[in-house]
Amino acid sequence: MIATAPTSKRASRRPDSLQPLENGERLTAPEFLRRYEAMPRLKKAELIEGVVYMGSLVRYNLHGRPDALAQLWLSHYEAHTPGVEFVANTTTQLDLDNVPQPDAMLRLREECGGQSRVDDRDYLVGAPELVVEIAASSASIDLHDKLNAYRRNGVKEYLTWRTVEQQFDWRVLVEGEFRPQTPDAKGVFHSTVFPGLRLSDKALLKRDAAAVLACLEAGLRSREHKALVAELMAWRSAKGRG
């Protein structure tokens, strides 16, 4: 969750200056990263569609607890799925205009056919397969400019939890557009990218961690998840990292 930026502006400065980032100014990704790195005390800043957004105060119930539950869910899936990595709050270079810091991500490792990589500066480059954002409301940038940036760069599944409105959305990239995913008859969402990754939005919205993990455990016992694990192990073995 990030603060809404004021009216965009371009600061007057020398191209090589390392002035502090300013909320709302327009930058390219390389300049944004240079200046972000020069501000080690700044906890969160993002570049979305060329505009700088800087971190706001993080509330306990509207962001902190929901964020922790989403991370628990994805980290549990990673623990049972070799070749898949969960990361949280990590600066991600999508393109020259977008360097977001998603609340949570799930990605396939490169040697397993993933579409993102970690560069020599320890940044994630490229679109992770799945992104989760905790959004305060439908007015959040997560539901507008950031959604478009994720769509355009090929994030395959985009999950948003609007904590004020108590709404959860699971979007799947189909033919270049995000389309809403619908749960099954039992109210369970199934990932189209990560077999066995299941989520009961009812349990999620109730913030029932035990029920969220129980639903996921059923997915981890499924035949499709076992098939995925076998496939990923074969990928890793072929690359000499089994």
Side-chain angles (χ1 to χ4, degrees), residues 73 77 130 156-157 159 168 170-172 179-201 215-216 218-220 222 224-225:
W73 172 60
Y77 184 82
L130 183 148
K156 295 182 178 180
E157 295 188 293
L159 287 56
F168 175 79
W170 190 311
R171 298 175 179 83
V172 177
R179 297 181 184 175
Q181 172 79 296
T182 55
D184 64 19
K186 295 181 179 180
V188 174
F189 287 93
H190 297 249
S191 172
T192 62
V193 178
F194 297 100
L197 182 64
R198 299 181 184 179
L199 180 66
S200 164
D201 67 335
C215 179
L216 176 57
L220 296 175
S222 67
E224 57 263 33
H225 183 260

Side-chain angles (χ1 to χ4, degrees), residues 45-98:
E46 300 182 286
L47 185 71
I48 307 299
E49 302 292 44
V51 179
V52 175
Y53 292 84
M54 298 173 70
S56 63
L57 296 176
V58 177
R59 297 185 181 182
Y60 185 89
N61 285 308
L62 290 181
H63 193 277
R65 289 290 293 163
D67 195 12
L69 180 53
Q71 292 182 27
L72 173 67
W73 172 60
L74 292 180
S75 63
H76 194 72
Y77 184 82
E78 179 203 38
H80 295 81
T81 316
V84 170
E85 290 185 338
F86 155 70
V87 286
N89 298 302
T90 300
T91 296
T92 304
Q93 298 182 67
L94 295 178
D95 57 32
L96 281 175
D97 293 317
N98 291 283

Side-chain angles (χ1 to χ4, degrees), residues 31-222:
E31 184 176 6
F32 169 79
L33 288 171
R34 283 196 299 270
R35 290 168 61 186
Y36 195 178
E37 289 172 346
M39 301 174 67
R41 294 184 180 180
L42 179 60
K43 292 184 177 180
K44 184 167 185 175
E46 300 182 286
L47 185 71
I48 307 299
E49 302 292 44
V51 179
V52 175
Y53 292 84
M54 298 173 70
S56 63
L57 296 176
V58 177
R59 297 185 181 182
Y60 185 89
N61 285 308
L62 290 181
H63 193 277
R65 289 290 293 163
D67 195 12
L69 180 53
Q71 292 182 27
L72 173 67
W73 172 60
L74 292 180
S75 63
H76 194 72
Y77 184 82
E78 179 203 38
H80 295 81
T81 316
V84 170
E85 290 185 338
F86 155 70
V87 286
N89 298 302
T90 300
T91 296
T92 304
Q93 298 182 67
L94 295 178
D95 57 32
L96 281 175
D97 293 317
N98 291 283
V99 187
Q101 189 175 324
D103 291 318
M105 299 178 281
L106 202 62
R107 64 181 288 266
L108 283 169
R109 292 177 59 90
E110 288 178 80
E111 64 268 23
C112 295
Q115 60 185 19
S116 59
R117 62 182 177 84
V118 179
D119 69 9
D120 56 6
R121 297 167 65 192
D122 201 31
Y123 289 123
L124 188 65
V125 178
E129 281 70 23
L130 183 148
V131 169
V132 179
E133 294 280 14
I134 310 301
S137 74
S138 58
S140 169
I141 188 176
D142 297 327
L143 277 299
H144 298 282
D145 286 348
K146 192 182 286 188
L147 181 150
N148 287 329
Y150 288 148
R151 173 192 58 77
R152 193 171 62 251
N153 283 279
V155 169
K156 295 182 178 180
E157 295 188 293
Y158 184 38
L159 287 56
T160 53
W161 184 355
R162 290 175 279 146
T163 55
V164 170
E165 298 156 348
Q166 279 297 284
Q167 294 292 325
F168 175 79
D169 302 292
W170 190 311
R171 298 175 179 83
V172 177
L173 191 66
V174 179
E175 297 180 348
E177 297 293 336
F178 277 134
R179 297 181 184 175
Q181 172 79 296
T182 55
D184 64 19
K186 295 181 179 180
V188 174
F189 287 93
H190 297 249
S191 172
T192 62
V193 178
F194 297 100
L197 182 64
R198 299 181 184 179
L199 180 66
S200 164
D201 67 335
K202 182 178 180 180
L204 183 78
L205 295 175
K206 286 184 175 180
R207 308 188 185 193
D208 186 339
V212 167
L213 291 182
C215 179
L216 176 57
E217 284 288 350
L220 296 175
R221 294 192 297 268
S222 67

